Amino acid sequence: MTPPTERHPSRGTEDPRIRRSWLAFAGAFFLLGLIAVFRLWVDPRLSNWAIALLIVVVGFAAVRHRIAVQDLEAGRRAEAESFARILQGLSRSISPDAIVEAIVEELGIGTGADHIVIVRRRPDARVLEATLVNARTGGSTSSTLFPIADLEDPPDLDVGRWGREPVAIPIDIEGDVGLALSGARPRLGGDAVTVTAGAPRRSGRRMPANAPAADFAATIAGTRSSRLRDLDPDRLVANRIATRARAVFGLRHTLVTPLTTDGGMIGALLISRRTAGAWPAAAHRLLVGAAIEASAALSRVYSHRQAEARASTDGLTGLPNRRYFDEFCALLSRRRRAEDSVGVLMIDIDKFKVLNDTYGHPVGDEVLRAVAAAIVGAVREDDVPARYGGEEFAVLLRNPTIEVAVEVGERVRAAVAGLDLARFGVRAVRVSVGAAVAEDPDEPITATIEQADRALYDAKRRGRDRVVAA
């Protein structure tokens, strides 16, 4: 937490040149006041009284102006320092949760918001995660999920529908979105809707007050559609997300801006307060700036995670690769408890080189994908399958007995044997499986892998298409 003395800068940091100019002005004004008093004392005419009164009024206005300038400078300085702290927090953030934490605290202080909501796409699922932070209760949070359609569906340009038969009332359309008739119902919160008296205009033409109702409705609808097409689609989507956030969290007076990256929109940033009235310009600037920097930070974190996932995933089969498998085994070794047992299956496709030479590498790749899918479907939920290299696969078994390891190996062998590969011209594929279990927590998993590998070669020597336990 930043100390309060650092959050609210004092007025003592005024530029020395401004201070010197003000002192010169105040000194000259003081002398002018003395001259006016002297003139009144010598000659108390009405004109001298008027001059003295005018000097008092000008002096009062000058003091008020100085106070206003100081308040404006202090506000801008506080805004810049809040934004700098947001940037500093984001630069250190290595996770989406840390990014949220870096944003919300300063947004609440800098904008005077009671609540901050950040809605972002989950990189691991097709949902939106909405996090509400209460800025008035020490940053307490609550999270919920929004449907991905709020983000991915195209913006609805028809934001209002005729609620009844339109009547020829002279109405002027202003602002970004015009809903001219009293029966129109905005569905995006009405923030961009302004209706004033006058006559409808479209492309510089004026609609007569006695025009037919159908022509009037068509004119209004055409104007609305053309102006909506000029709106930023991301902002329309952000308004849609804000509408749901207001309904779900019970928020009232809100301000929202989209979160966008080079790959498109990923969510929205929303602030809310209990009191009505227009948000100050500083709140708009701080919200937009925070959204830009948060979008960049989230994009950086997501890209880093995707790069890590690509580095740990076999591109052909989609299974974890050997690097991930070895790292997972090392992590599991450090966290094993005394009662935990670990098993390993080593699986090799029989005569895969012959299959590749006969049918070609593209068919061989399809066979590898099919075998990988069969292995995933045959192992247990807690087991970890991986492509170990070439046509060889490995499965890490959690807490098995040797009988369970052999049973899982038999399921894998049967699942591969049951694959229908006729569309590739391949009649059947078989695998050999070696199984090993380490019940002693002090036994390295690497030793268990070596035992399973020796059992695999034993299965090959015995005629292939079988499971052999170490």
mmCIF file of all heavy atoms in Angstrom, residues 233-255:
data_model
loop_
_atom_site.group_PDB
_atom_site.id
_atom_site.type_symbol
_atom_site.label_atom_id
_atom_site.label_comp_id
_atom_site.label_asym_id
_atom_site.label_seq_id
_atom_site.Cartn_x
_atom_site.Cartn_y
_atom_site.Cartn_z
ATOM 1 N N PRO A 233 -17.502 -0.355 -32.825
ATOM 2 C CA PRO A 233 -18.124 -1.614 -32.379
ATOM 3 C C PRO A 233 -17.638 -2.060 -31.013
ATOM 4 O O PRO A 233 -18.416 -2.613 -30.224
ATOM 5 C CB PRO A 233 -17.722 -2.610 -33.481
ATOM 6 C CG PRO A 233 -17.394 -1.778 -34.665
ATOM 7 C CD PRO A 233 -16.835 -0.502 -34.129
ATOM 8 N N ASP A 234 -16.355 -1.825 -30.701
ATOM 9 C CA ASP A 234 -15.848 -2.217 -29.389
ATOM 10 C C ASP A 234 -16.577 -1.487 -28.276
ATOM 11 O O ASP A 234 -16.842 -2.055 -27.209
ATOM 12 C CB ASP A 234 -14.347 -1.932 -29.302
ATOM 13 C CG ASP A 234 -13.522 -2.899 -30.144
ATOM 14 O OD1 ASP A 234 -14.101 -3.905 -30.605
ATOM 15 O OD2 ASP A 234 -12.326 -2.647 -30.346
ATOM 16 N N ARG A 235 -16.918 -0.223 -28.511
ATOM 17 C CA ARG A 235 -17.628 0.529 -27.471
ATOM 18 C C ARG A 235 -19.049 0.002 -27.306
ATOM 19 O O ARG A 235 -19.574 -0.037 -26.184
ATOM 20 C CB ARG A 235 -17.632 2.011 -27.822
ATOM 21 C CG ARG A 235 -18.170 2.888 -26.710
ATOM 22 C CD ARG A 235 -17.735 4.326 -26.898
ATOM 23 N NE ARG A 235 -16.288 4.446 -26.790
ATOM 24 C CZ ARG A 235 -15.643 4.487 -25.636
ATOM 25 N NH1 ARG A 235 -16.300 4.401 -24.507
ATOM 26 N NH2 ARG A 235 -14.340 4.612 -25.614
ATOM 27 N N LEU A 236 -19.684 -0.386 -28.395
ATOM 28 C CA LEU A 236 -21.018 -0.980 -28.291
ATOM 29 C C LEU A 236 -20.967 -2.283 -27.503
ATOM 30 O O LEU A 236 -21.836 -2.558 -26.667
ATOM 31 C CB LEU A 236 -21.601 -1.223 -29.685
ATOM 32 C CG LEU A 236 -21.949 0.020 -30.508
ATOM 33 C CD1 LEU A 236 -22.447 -0.386 -31.889
ATOM 34 C CD2 LEU A 236 -22.986 0.872 -29.799
ATOM 35 N N VAL A 237 -19.956 -3.094 -27.763
ATOM 36 C CA VAL A 237 -19.806 -4.349 -27.025
ATOM 37 C C VAL A 237 -19.516 -4.063 -25.551
ATOM 38 O O VAL A 237 -20.048 -4.733 -24.656
ATOM 39 C CB VAL A 237 -18.694 -5.211 -27.645
ATOM 40 C CG1 VAL A 237 -18.411 -6.430 -26.782
ATOM 41 C CG2 VAL A 237 -19.093 -5.656 -29.052
ATOM 42 N N ALA A 238 -18.677 -3.059 -25.282
ATOM 43 C CA ALA A 238 -18.394 -2.683 -23.893
ATOM 44 C C ALA A 238 -19.661 -2.238 -23.185
ATOM 45 O O ALA A 238 -19.877 -2.568 -22.009
ATOM 46 C CB ALA A 238 -17.332 -1.580 -23.859
ATOM 47 N N ASN A 239 -20.524 -1.489 -23.888
ATOM 48 C CA ASN A 239 -21.803 -1.096 -23.293
ATOM 49 C C ASN A 239 -22.663 -2.307 -22.972
ATOM 50 O O ASN A 239 -23.357 -2.341 -21.953
ATOM 51 C CB ASN A 239 -22.549 -0.163 -24.245
ATOM 52 C CG ASN A 239 -21.960 1.226 -24.267
ATOM 53 O OD1 ASN A 239 -21.248 1.622 -23.357
ATOM 54 N ND2 ASN A 239 -22.239 1.973 -25.324
ATOM 55 N N ARG A 240 -22.621 -3.306 -23.862
ATOM 56 C CA ARG A 240 -23.402 -4.528 -23.608
ATOM 57 C C ARG A 240 -22.876 -5.255 -22.371
ATOM 58 O O ARG A 240 -23.651 -5.735 -21.544
ATOM 59 C CB ARG A 240 -23.334 -5.438 -24.838
ATOM 60 C CG ARG A 240 -24.124 -6.726 -24.703
ATOM 61 C CD ARG A 240 -24.249 -7.407 -26.043
ATOM 62 N NE ARG A 240 -22.962 -7.789 -26.584
ATOM 63 C CZ ARG A 240 -22.757 -8.102 -27.864
ATOM 64 N NH1 ARG A 240 -23.763 -8.024 -28.718
ATOM 65 N NH2 ARG A 240 -21.561 -8.465 -28.292
ATOM 66 N N ILE A 241 -21.550 -5.341 -22.226
ATOM 67 C CA ILE A 241 -20.967 -5.963 -21.032
ATOM 68 C C ILE A 241 -21.317 -5.157 -19.790
ATOM 69 O O ILE A 241 -21.631 -5.722 -18.732
ATOM 70 C CB ILE A 241 -19.443 -6.088 -21.199
ATOM 71 C CG1 ILE A 241 -19.113 -7.069 -22.336
ATOM 72 C CG2 ILE A 241 -18.789 -6.538 -19.904
ATOM 73 C CD1 ILE A 241 -17.639 -7.144 -22.671
ATOM 74 N N ALA A 242 -21.292 -3.828 -19.908
ATOM 75 C CA ALA A 242 -21.633 -2.981 -18.767
ATOM 76 C C ALA A 242 -23.083 -3.168 -18.348
ATOM 77 O O ALA A 242 -23.408 -3.142 -17.154
ATOM 78 C CB ALA A 242 -21.369 -1.514 -19.107
ATOM 79 N N THR A 243 -23.976 -3.356 -19.311
ATOM 80 C CA THR A 243 -25.383 -3.601 -18.989
ATOM 81 C C THR A 243 -25.531 -4.854 -18.143
ATOM 82 O O THR A 243 -26.269 -4.874 -17.146
ATOM 83 C CB THR A 243 -26.198 -3.738 -20.285
ATOM 84 O OG1 THR A 243 -26.091 -2.527 -21.037
ATOM 85 C CG2 THR A 243 -27.658 -4.006 -19.982
ATOM 86 N N ARG A 244 -24.823 -5.920 -18.513
ATOM 87 C CA ARG A 244 -24.905 -7.147 -17.717
ATOM 88 C C ARG A 244 -24.263 -6.941 -16.339
ATOM 89 O O ARG A 244 -24.779 -7.429 -15.335
ATOM 90 C CB ARG A 244 -24.219 -8.314 -18.440
ATOM 91 C CG ARG A 244 -24.381 -9.643 -17.702
ATOM 92 C CD ARG A 244 -23.774 -10.786 -18.468
ATOM 93 N NE ARG A 244 -24.430 -11.019 -19.733
ATOM 94 C CZ ARG A 244 -25.537 -11.753 -19.869
ATOM 95 N NH1 ARG A 244 -26.107 -12.308 -18.815
ATOM 96 N NH2 ARG A 244 -26.071 -11.936 -21.061
ATOM 97 N N ALA A 245 -23.130 -6.233 -16.296
ATOM 98 C CA ALA A 245 -22.472 -6.000 -15.009
ATOM 99 C C ALA A 245 -23.376 -5.207 -14.068
ATOM 100 O O ALA A 245 -23.439 -5.493 -12.865
ATOM 101 C CB ALA A 245 -21.151 -5.269 -15.227
ATOM 102 N N ARG A 246 -24.075 -4.214 -14.606
ATOM 103 C CA ARG A 246 -24.993 -3.450 -13.760
ATOM 104 C C ARG A 246 -26.099 -4.333 -13.203
ATOM 105 O O ARG A 246 -26.484 -4.214 -12.037
ATOM 106 C CB ARG A 246 -25.589 -2.284 -14.560
ATOM 107 C CG ARG A 246 -24.634 -1.145 -14.798
ATOM 108 C CD ARG A 246 -25.364 0.091 -15.287
ATOM 109 N NE ARG A 246 -25.931 -0.104 -16.615
ATOM 110 C CZ ARG A 246 -25.312 0.217 -17.737
ATOM 111 N NH1 ARG A 246 -24.094 0.729 -17.691
ATOM 112 N NH2 ARG A 246 -25.888 0.019 -18.900
ATOM 113 N N ALA A 247 -26.610 -5.239 -14.040
ATOM 114 C CA ALA A 247 -27.690 -6.114 -13.591
ATOM 115 C C ALA A 247 -27.198 -7.156 -12.586
ATOM 116 O O ALA A 247 -27.866 -7.436 -11.587
ATOM 117 C CB ALA A 247 -28.328 -6.798 -14.801
ATOM 118 N N VAL A 248 -26.023 -7.721 -12.832
ATOM 119 C CA VAL A 248 -25.520 -8.801 -11.967
ATOM 120 C C VAL A 248 -25.057 -8.259 -10.624
ATOM 121 O O VAL A 248 -25.365 -8.830 -9.566
ATOM 122 C CB VAL A 248 -24.364 -9.549 -12.680
ATOM 123 C CG1 VAL A 248 -23.674 -10.508 -11.718
ATOM 124 C CG2 VAL A 248 -24.902 -10.313 -13.884
ATOM 125 N N PHE A 249 -24.327 -7.139 -10.627
ATOM 126 C CA PHE A 249 -23.744 -6.620 -9.394
ATOM 127 C C PHE A 249 -24.580 -5.516 -8.742
ATOM 128 O O PHE A 249 -24.213 -5.022 -7.682
ATOM 129 C CB PHE A 249 -22.335 -6.081 -9.667
ATOM 130 C CG PHE A 249 -21.353 -7.127 -10.095
ATOM 131 C CD1 PHE A 249 -20.735 -7.076 -11.332
ATOM 132 C CD2 PHE A 249 -21.040 -8.186 -9.261
ATOM 133 C CE1 PHE A 249 -19.821 -8.037 -11.737
ATOM 134 C CE2 PHE A 249 -20.127 -9.159 -9.637
ATOM 135 C CZ PHE A 249 -19.526 -9.090 -10.874
ATOM 136 N N GLY A 250 -25.680 -5.115 -9.377
ATOM 137 C CA GLY A 250 -26.515 -4.073 -8.800
ATOM 138 C C GLY A 250 -25.876 -2.696 -8.814
ATOM 139 O O GLY A 250 -26.052 -1.916 -7.880
ATOM 140 N N LEU A 251 -25.143 -2.374 -9.880
ATOM 141 C CA LEU A 251 -24.472 -1.085 -9.984
ATOM 142 C C LEU A 251 -25.400 -0.054 -10.610
ATOM 143 O O LEU A 251 -26.366 -0.391 -11.292
ATOM 144 C CB LEU A 251 -23.197 -1.230 -10.819
ATOM 145 C CG LEU A 251 -22.218 -2.303 -10.346
ATOM 146 C CD1 LEU A 251 -21.040 -2.388 -11.290
ATOM 147 C CD2 LEU A 251 -21.753 -2.037 -8.930
ATOM 148 N N ARG A 252 -25.084 1.218 -10.398
ATOM 149 C CA ARG A 252 -25.969 2.275 -10.910
ATOM 150 C C ARG A 252 -25.247 3.193 -11.890
ATOM 151 O O ARG A 252 -25.348 3.039 -13.085
ATOM 152 C CB ARG A 252 -26.543 3.069 -9.736
ATOM 153 C CG ARG A 252 -27.396 2.227 -8.790
ATOM 154 C CD ARG A 252 -28.018 3.073 -7.699
ATOM 155 N NE ARG A 252 -28.927 4.065 -8.249
ATOM 156 C CZ ARG A 252 -29.539 5.003 -7.527
ATOM 157 N NH1 ARG A 252 -29.295 5.076 -6.228
ATOM 158 N NH2 ARG A 252 -30.351 5.866 -8.093
ATOM 159 N N HIS A 253 -24.490 4.128 -11.393
ATOM 160 C CA HIS A 253 -23.875 5.140 -12.259
ATOM 161 C C HIS A 253 -22.486 4.647 -12.683
ATOM 162 O O HIS A 253 -21.566 4.593 -11.864
ATOM 163 C CB HIS A 253 -23.794 6.468 -11.521
ATOM 164 C CG HIS A 253 -25.099 6.891 -10.918
ATOM 165 N ND1 HIS A 253 -26.182 7.273 -11.684
ATOM 166 C CD2 HIS A 253 -25.506 6.945 -9.629
ATOM 167 C CE1 HIS A 253 -27.186 7.559 -10.893
ATOM 168 N NE2 HIS A 253 -26.816 7.364 -9.635
ATOM 169 N N THR A 254 -22.366 4.304 -13.951
ATOM 170 C CA THR A 254 -21.169 3.609 -14.420
ATOM 171 C C THR A 254 -20.500 4.355 -15.565
ATOM 172 O O THR A 254 -21.104 5.180 -16.246
ATOM 173 C CB THR A 254 -21.507 2.186 -14.889
ATOM 174 O OG1 THR A 254 -22.461 2.257 -15.963
ATOM 175 C CG2 THR A 254 -22.093 1.359 -13.755
ATOM 176 N N LEU A 255 -19.237 4.009 -15.750
ATOM 177 C CA LEU A 255 -18.436 4.486 -16.881
ATOM 178 C C LEU A 255 -17.616 3.299 -17.357
ATOM 179 O O LEU A 255 -16.986 2.614 -16.546
ATOM 180 C CB LEU A 255 -17.528 5.635 -16.440
ATOM 181 C CG LEU A 255 -16.763 6.389 -17.529
ATOM 182 C CD1 LEU A 255 -17.728 7.097 -18.458
ATOM 183 C CD2 LEU A 255 -15.817 7.404 -16.889
#
